[in-house]
Every structure is written in C-alpha cells, then in structure tokens.
Amino acid sequence: MSAIDPAEMFRQEAADLLEVLEQSLLDLEKRPEDGDLVSSAFRALHTLKGSGAMFGFTAVSTFIHEFETAFDQVRKGEATASPALIAAALQAKDHVAALIADEASVAAAAGAAILDALAKAITGSGEAGWLVTFRLPENALLLGTNPKLLLDEMQSLGACEILERSEPTARVGDIDPEFLYLAWTVRLGGAVDQAAIEDVFLFIRDDMTLSIERIGDDTTTATTEVAPEGAPVANAQEVTASIGRPVPEAGNAPAGPKEKAATLRVPAERLDELMDRVGELVIAQARLSQIAASRHDPALVGVAEDIERLTASLRDTTMGTRMVPIGTLFGRFRRLVHDLADDLGKEVALVTVGEETELDKTVIEQLADPLVHLIRNSMDHGIERSETRQARGKGGTATLRLSAAHRGAEVAITIADDGAGLDTARIRAKAEANGLIAQGAPLTEGEVHRLIFEPGFSTADAVTSLSGRGVGMDVVKRTIESLRGSIDVASEPGHGTEVTLRLPLTLAIIDGLLVRVGSGRYTIPLAAVEECIELPKDADAMRGRSFLDVRGDLVPFMRLRDLFHADGEADAYQKVVVVSSGQMRIGLVVDQIIGNNQTVIKQLSRLHSGIKTFSGATILGDGTVALILDVMNLVGFGQKLEERRRDSTLGRAA
C-alpha cells in the first residue's frame, strides 16, 4: 500500500477549511453583526495558516497571516464586515486556493493587490464614529415612546448601522406583551456631533440607560453614560457584550460542549472497492440461499439465513458510507450566485431546501457541472434586472430556489426561478431556423421546452462569457442520461421556470422485484413498485385501450411480452406490476412475480448504452443474468400512451 502524500493530505483538509471560510463570509455579508460567523471565519484562517506552515506551504502561510491580521480587526470590533471587506476577503480566499493548488503559477503581485484591497476595506469600515448603546424603560411603549422613531432619527444623522439587539431579559412565561425588553447597539459614522446624538433622547434620558462612545480614531474616547435612578450603570463594553445573548433561566445552566463524533478520512477508491466486494458477497449469498432451499437441510437453511441477515446489514452500512447529503453540493453554488449577480447587475436571493437529502456519492460527483449550467442559464436568461421586475409588479430581488427530495426510488432536484419564464414562440422559431424541427411541426409546449437541451441550441443573440454557444444545456442532458435520470421542464410566462432532475437513489445495490416474462427474468426496482394486481380476464378485449381502472384511476399498462418479443404462450393468469415515477403511474404486465431480491447493478456495455428500456443488469443466485428495467423510461412511454388516448378522445368528441 502506497504512503499518503502529506501535501495531498493538506490539500484535502484545506479544501474543507476553505469551504467553511467561504460559507462564513457569504453569511457574514447578510449578518455583519454575527460574532459567531466572524469567529468561524477566523478559526478557519488560523487553522489554514498553521497547517500550511507545518506542511511546507510557506507562501500560503505568509499570505494568510496578513489576511488574518486584517480580519482580526473585525473580530475585535475595530472594523465592520462591510460589503467591500467581504468582497476582498472572498478574493483572498480564492487566492489561497490558487496558492495551494499550484504556488508557482500564482503571481505575487496578485496577492499584494488583494491584501491592499483588504487594508482599504478595513480602513473604510473603521472610520471615526460613535457607538451608541441604549435600553429604554420597560414601560416605554405604554408611555408612547416608539423605538423605531428613535432609530430613524439616528439614521438621519449619518451612516448608521444597527449592530446588535438583545434577547428578552425575562423568562418567556413572565413576558408582558405591553412591556419592552430590548436594547440596541448602533454604530454612527461620519462627522456627527455628540450633542446631536444626545438630542435624539432628549425627552426620555432620565428614564433610560444610554452609552455614547467615540470609536475609530486616535482621539480621547468620550463616553456618556446615563441610567435611570437606582439602576446600575454599565460601561459601553459590558453593555455591548451582553446584547444579543439570551439570559439563561435559573436552573438551566448552559450545557457543556457536546462530544464531537470521531471521523476518519478514507480515499474514495477504497469505498468503491468495498462496495464492489459487498456486491459480490450479495450475489454469493443469493446463490447460497438458493442451494439451501433446494437441499431441504435445516442446518444449511439456518446458516444461509444468518448469512443473508449479516449480508443485508453489511450492505446497508456500506451503502451509508457512500451516501452524501446534497447540501455539500448546494453550498458550492452560493458563491456562484453571489458572483453572477454582481457580474449581471441583478439582485438574486438563493434559497436551498432539502440539504439533508442523501444521494450516492457517485451521483453527487457528476451533478456539479449540470447544476452550474442550469443556474447560469437561469440567471442569464430567466431572471430579469430589478427595474424590469419592478415594472412588472414583482419584487426587485429575484428568488432562485434549489431543492431536493426523495420520491420513491428517485431523488428529485429542482432548480426554480421567479423570472420571465421560457419564451415558447422564440424557442420554436430558433429550432426551426437551426433545422432541429420542421416548419410547423406539431409539438406540445413541453416538447418545445425540451428543445433547449438539444446540442448547439441557444436563444442568445450574441456569444458572451455566460451563454450563446448552445453547449451548457446539452452537457446537462448528456450527464443526466448517463446517470439513468430524466429531466422535466415547466414554465409559466412572466412567473418563472422550473427544471427538475430525477435521478436514481443509488448506482450500486438496490432491492428489486424479480419477474418472469416468457423465459426471461427481469428486475424492477422495488422502491418504484406501488402494488401488484391480477390482469383482468377481459384484458384481451381492451387491447385498443390499454388502460386499467385501479380504484377509480385510469392507469395505462403495457405488455412486456409484446415489448420484449417474448417466446412461448402467455401464462393463463398474468400479473400487473404498477410502478410510478413522479406523478405518473404505469402497469407492467408480466407472466409471473417471482419475489424480492437484492440487486447488484452492473452497467451495460457501451454497445448497449442506447437501449433506454434497461438501466443495467444483475447476476442472480443461479448465475444467470437478469436485466433491470428502467422505470422512468417506461413511465414516460406510458405517459405518451395516455396523451394519445386524450388526443383520440378529443378527436372523437370533435
């Protein structure tokens, strides 16, 4: 076994720390007063600096030292996390990543320019001003005092930033809704006279706690502290430190730090090899169970059952090591949306839902590029500029929503925006002009929308750094199809577009339903199976309709004997396996349902990659091969059957 390269070990750990740093900075841009975020970013920097020096990355350590020094002023409250500072810090993070990847290819002048931008941002955010902390009496609202008006008046004095707000100082059960339990800390910038600040509180100073502190220059600090009669006076530092921290109730002392679960970094190749071994074990166990069942030896059957139970447990545990929360992927796109919004001059809020949804790591690794293309396409073509949105009666800030959820045997990943939606007429015109479809070809709206995934297709008038070459969406289609997935597109003009990627939960081992059609055996993913019913005796008379009435719902069905050109006569009592994908269901008519089995998925060769009916193959206990049905493809086929039925019904009605 080869030794692990220390430099590569550092790069892996650094990637995690840089991810923490980037997420903290992006959150800090929205919540600049959040001290926990500042501490999280600072800890990531400090750890990177120490590890870099230890592993010989001297340039990384030196640069981060200067980066850390600048950011330390934010941690100490001497500067605020202004947008300019966050922008410079993100550039610094990218520079660190470049140094770690290949120090020799990074120009020293680039680092110097970034550090200069950091220094300027710190200087700008730390200009002279005032730190004003005040707490109104509890009965202020009853006496007619409106805290918002006080804050508005302070904002009229100059650049104003509300840094912190306190939590209730009383127990929840004791809070009176007519009383005020909050305090505020406000940073005032610019040339503001202290007397002007005091005038804001002119009529209520005798009944409140007020602290005014000069900050950000080398002059002597002037502090004014006023407290209600009989109340202790706290200095500005103490008041600021207490604001925003909940007061623990009596008997509820803060719990000690939770013990952190131990983790071990394992190369992905070892997990893949382990999964292959488990797959072979599952096949051997199925063969043992089949032999034990044929021998009728109680002792052998008992051993086979024990091995089956242990194999299932080992399979589930191994599968769990391969499953990764999709939030690890979603987190990467926050920076992408942030930077694209700045480049395009658009205001976009990224919302993520279902980050805890787990997906096979093999799938996760290949999803990054398709999602990048979909997000870029949405922000470039779909989302409008703020002024355009406001003219259309929308909010100035657009919403881009990334969500993931388990749906049966699939994971549905949705990218939705509230932009202009797809222009069906323009897409059709471009497709006709490019020869993708014939002039006037009868296409449904959904079929027109799916044309955006055709190679070379683009509605952009000019090639830009973001779009215009018609490559991105083609990449999305090819990648999702290689993962045995499908793409759904829904769009409403003026209200936005929603693209849903439907992907199999795993590419390794699944539970399957083994069926027989003619002399062949096939596996249907068990998670996609809704129910099994017997085919009605009058089904032969229904060949023109191919629909079953399942408790009031019409479910299209197809005969797998006809689809696979099976030999021999059909069984007298055929069965229908009802499967689903998304909102659509279809019945698959088979000769016999054999039972459940653990299915080790083996990919088909490139020669058979164009066969959409099957997603792979598996080896059964007797050594024979069973093909795995592609449920999503079959359901799509059934959906076309239903569309034909509707069209024929409408035609007869006309």
Side-chain angles (χ1 to χ4, degrees):
M1 184 180 298
S2 60
I4 299 177
D5 181 9
E8 188 58 34
M9 183 188 301
F10 167 70
R11 288 189 176 96
Q12 292 176 1
E13 294 179 353
D16 295 338
L17 290 169
L18 288 172
E19 179 69 19
V20 171
L21 175 61
E22 182 173 279
Q23 299 304 318
S24 298
L25 291 173
L26 292 171
D27 287 334
L28 199 57
E29 188 173 38
K30 299 177 181 177
R31 305 195 302 275
E33 74 285 353
D34 194 325
D36 290 339
L37 291 175
V38 175
S39 298
S40 174
F42 192 82
R43 283 194 300 270
L45 281 173
H46 195 70
T47 305
L48 271 171
K49 182 179 74 171
S51 299
M54 181 173 65
F55 285 98
F57 287 77
T58 308
V60 172
S61 180
T62 303
F63 179 83
I64 293 179
H65 177 73
E66 299 298 329
F67 184 2
E68 182 185 46
T69 300
F71 209 77
D72 188 41
Q73 297 184 50
V74 180
R75 188 169 67 109
K76 293 177 179 178
E78 298 172 358
T80 59
S82 64
L85 178 61
I86 296 298
L90 287 171
Q91 289 182 346
K93 174 261 173 188
D94 291 342
H95 185 73
V96 172
L99 285 173
I100 293 173
D102 186 5
E103 178 182 324
S105 65
V106 180
I114 292 172
L115 291 176
D116 184 57
L118 272 172
K120 290 180 179 178
I122 288 290
T123 303
S125 64
E127 63 183 1
W130 300 91
L131 192 68
V132 181
T133 302
F134 67 94
R135 184 186 295 276
L136 300 175
E138 290 184 348
N139 63 347
L141 299 179
L142 293 174
L143 296 176
T145 302
N146 187 340
K148 184 177 184 304
L149 296 179
L150 297 176
L151 293 171
D152 289 344
E153 190 172 351
M154 293 184 69
Q155 286 181 319
S156 67
L157 298 177
C160 179
E161 182 181 5
I162 301 174
L163 298 178
E164 294 173 325
R165 189 177 68 183
S166 73
E167 299 290 335
T169 57
R171 297 188 182 188
V172 173
D174 298 333
I175 290 179
D176 187 329
E178 295 184 338
F179 277 66
L180 183 66
Y181 300 94
L182 304 178
W184 287 267
T185 296
V186 179
R187 184 190 294 272
L188 274 174
V192 180
D193 187 69
Q194 181 176 346
I197 300 174
E198 294 174 351
D199 287 345
V200 173
F201 307 97
L202 181 63
F203 298 105
I204 54 175
R205 284 186 58 175
D206 294 338
D207 299 318
M208 66 178 294
T209 301
L210 174 65
S211 171
I212 304 175
E213 181 185 10
R214 185 72 172 172
I215 57 172
D217 61 5
D218 298 328
T219 60
T220 303
T221 299
T223 304
T224 301
E225 296 171 347
V226 180
E229 186 176 353
V233 176
N235 62 46
Q237 184 177 0
E238 293 171 342
V239 174
T240 303
S242 68
I243 292 177
R245 300 177 185 174
V247 179
E249 297 181 6
N252 289 334
K258 294 183 179 179
E259 185 177 350
K260 188 176 181 180
T263 58
L264 180 65
R265 190 182 297 274
V266 178
E269 294 78 9
R270 294 188 183 180
L271 288 180
D272 294 336
E273 185 178 352
L274 177 61
M275 194 71 250
D276 290 340
R277 297 292 180 270
V278 171
E280 297 299 327
L281 179 62
V282 168
I283 294 172
Q285 173 269 316
R287 184 181 178 190
L288 175 61
S289 297
Q290 188 169 354
I291 293 174
S294 64
R295 296 290 177 84
H296 304 290
D297 183 342
L300 182 59
V301 170
V303 172
E305 290 177 349
D306 287 341
I307 292 179
E308 181 178 1
R309 174 177 51 81
L310 293 171
T311 301
S313 177
L314 179 61
R315 178 203 66 172
D316 293 341
T317 302
T318 306
M319 288 292 297
T321 62
R322 290 171 57 97
M323 304 304 282
V324 180
I326 202 166
T328 60
L329 182 63
F330 282 1
R332 304 180 195 175
F333 303 127
R334 296 183 61 198
R335 177 70 182 281
L336 174 67
V337 172
H338 174 276
D339 291 349
L340 283 178
D342 286 345
D343 293 343
L344 295 170
K346 299 178 180 179
E347 296 182 18
V348 183
L350 176 64
V351 177
T352 57
V353 179
E355 296 97 328
E356 70 284 352
T357 303
E358 292 188 332
L359 199 58
D360 191 292
K361 75 172 187 65
T362 307
V363 180
I364 289 279
E365 290 167 356
Q366 298 184 55
L367 270 180
D369 283 347
L371 289 179
V372 166
H373 287 300
L374 288 170
I375 290 172
R376 289 164 65 98
N377 192 73
S378 177
M379 294 191 65
D380 190 23
H381 296 294
I383 292 175
E384 316 97 326
R385 293 181 180 274
S386 297
E387 56 271 18
T388 304
R389 293 177 58 84
Q390 291 171 349
R392 294 175 178 175
K394 299 181 178 181
T397 301
T399 300
L400 182 63
R401 182 184 179 91
L402 270 178
S403 61
H406 286 118
R407 296 180 184 172
E410 308 166 354
V411 171
I413 302 172
T414 302
I415 304 93
D417 64 66
D418 60 352
L422 295 177
D423 188 336
T424 305
R426 189 179 182 192
I427 294 173
R428 185 183 183 94
K430 281 280 187 177
E432 291 177 348
N434 294 343
L436 295 176
I437 59 174
Q439 293 284 340
L443 296 177
T444 65
E445 188 176 74
E447 289 172 334
V448 173
H449 290 166
R450 283 191 284 273
L451 290 172
I452 64 175
F453 296 101
E454 292 299 318
F457 182 84
S458 175
T459 57
D461 296 323
V463 175
T464 67
S465 59
L466 284 180
S467 60
R469 300 189 185 276
V471 176
M473 303 304 276
D474 178 38
V475 170
V476 174
K477 180 182 178 182
R478 285 189 288 106
T479 303
I480 299 304
E481 287 181 347
S482 71
L483 294 171
R484 306 198 323 269
S486 63
I487 306 174
D488 295 335
V489 182
S491 182
E492 183 178 354
H495 293 83
T497 303
E498 181 176 287
V499 179
T500 301
L501 310 179
R502 302 187 185 280
L503 298 157
L505 189 61
T506 178
L507 299 177
I509 299 177
I510 61 172
D511 287 322
L513 181 67
L514 188 63
V515 300
R516 181 179 61 80
V517 179
S519 59
R521 287 181 288 181
Y522 304 90
T523 295
I524 304 173
L526 191 60
V529 176
E530 288 195 355
E531 58 183 315
C532 300
I533 58 179
E534 189 168 313
L535 185 67
K537 294 181 180 179
D538 60 349
D540 288 336
M542 301 168 57
R543 282 188 178 271
R545 302 208 318 264
S546 297
F547 282 87
L548 292 176
D549 186 349
V550 181
R551 291 182 296 279
D553 291 334
L554 284 180
V555 177
F557 71 88
M558 64 176 66
R559 300 171 186 271
L560 295 186
R561 290 186 62 87
D562 297 341
L563 187 63
F564 300 153
H565 304 289
D567 54 1
E569 293 294 327
D571 283 22
Y573 300 97
Q574 291 184 296
K575 305 296 187 293
V576 181
V577 181
V578 180
V579 297
S580 65
S581 176
Q583 303 299 318
M584 188 64 189
R585 297 193 299 169
I586 187 174
L588 306 177
V589 180
V590 302
D591 287 329
Q592 179 188 4
I593 296 175
I594 300 174
N596 299 351
N597 69 335
Q598 290 184 12
T599 301
V600 181
I601 301 175
K602 301 292 185 179
Q603 297 299 316
L604 298 177
S605 68
R606 292 185 179 180
L607 181 64
H608 303 91
S609 60
I611 302 176
K612 302 300 183 182
T613 310
F614 307 111
S615 58
T618 186
I619 302 175
L620 301 178
D622 59 2
T624 60
V625 174
L627 294 171
I628 303 169
L629 300 184
D630 188 331
V631 172
M632 283 184 280
N633 184 275
L634 292 173
V635 168
F637 188 80
Q639 188 174 11
K640 292 179 181 178
L641 286 179
E642 184 174 11
E643 290 174 356
R644 291 173 188 168
R645 177 187 69 85
R646 290 174 180 171
D647 292 343
S648 63
T649 302
L650 292 174
R652 287 194 300 269

